[in-house]
Structure formats: structure tokens, C-alpha cells
Amino acid sequence: MMDGEIFTTTLVPSGNMTPNYSMTLAQKTTFAFVILLFIFLGILIVRCFQILLNPYQSMLTSAWTDGLDGLEFDYAFA
């Protein structure tokens, strides 16, 4: 660049040129996929907080008694 020369950038459109802001099909698909992932992440976060706040709500009552027969026998010798 010489002294007195005006520096113009290529980022600014010159004249009547309008920038093209339309998204391609690949960009639209990626954007939709990312949105779906965020929705899925939100559902998982809500479900995890529900389990943390009340862990016994989703546990089946039959699961509490499964396997206790062997434990009672083991504790009898302790």
C-alpha cells in the first residue's frame, strides 16, 4: 500500500450490492437439528431434576422387595 492510497475492505459491500443472507439447505438442516437437540436437552434436564427431587416416585414398589430374601439371610449371621 502506498502513501495516500485509500484502503477498502472486502467485508463492506460497495455500491448497490446487497449481501445475500439466505441460508443453504445444509445450514437449515443443521440449524433444525441443533434446535431439536436443545429441546431434547431441556427435557432431559427437567427429568433429571424431577428424579433428584423425588427419587422414589419412579421406582416400582416390587423393586424394593426383590432380592431382600438373600439379604435377610446374610444379615442373620452378622
Side-chain angles (χ1 to χ4, degrees):
M1 188 162 52
M2 302 162 116
D3 291 334
E5 187 176 330
I6 298 175
F7 180 71
T8 59
T9 63
T10 57
L11 297 176
V12 179
S14 61
N16 292 335
M17 294 176 57
T18 57
N20 187 4
Y21 292 119
S22 64
M23 296 172 59
T24 64
L25 181 61
Q27 289 173 333
K28 289 178 184 179
T29 306
T30 305
F31 186 72
F33 184 69
V34 169
I35 294 297
L36 287 175
L37 283 179
F38 275 121
I39 291 170
F40 184 67
L41 179 66
I43 292 170
L44 286 179
I45 288 172
V46 168
R47 180 66 182 139
C48 288
F49 273 111
Q50 286 176 347
I51 291 173
L52 285 174
L53 292 176
N54 192 1
Y56 299 109
Q57 175 187 5
S58 60
M59 187 183 298
L60 298 173
T61 56
S62 63
W64 295 6
T65 59
D66 290 346
L68 287 181
D69 296 332
L71 290 177
E72 291 172 355
F73 181 73
D74 292 340
Y75 286 127
F77 288 114

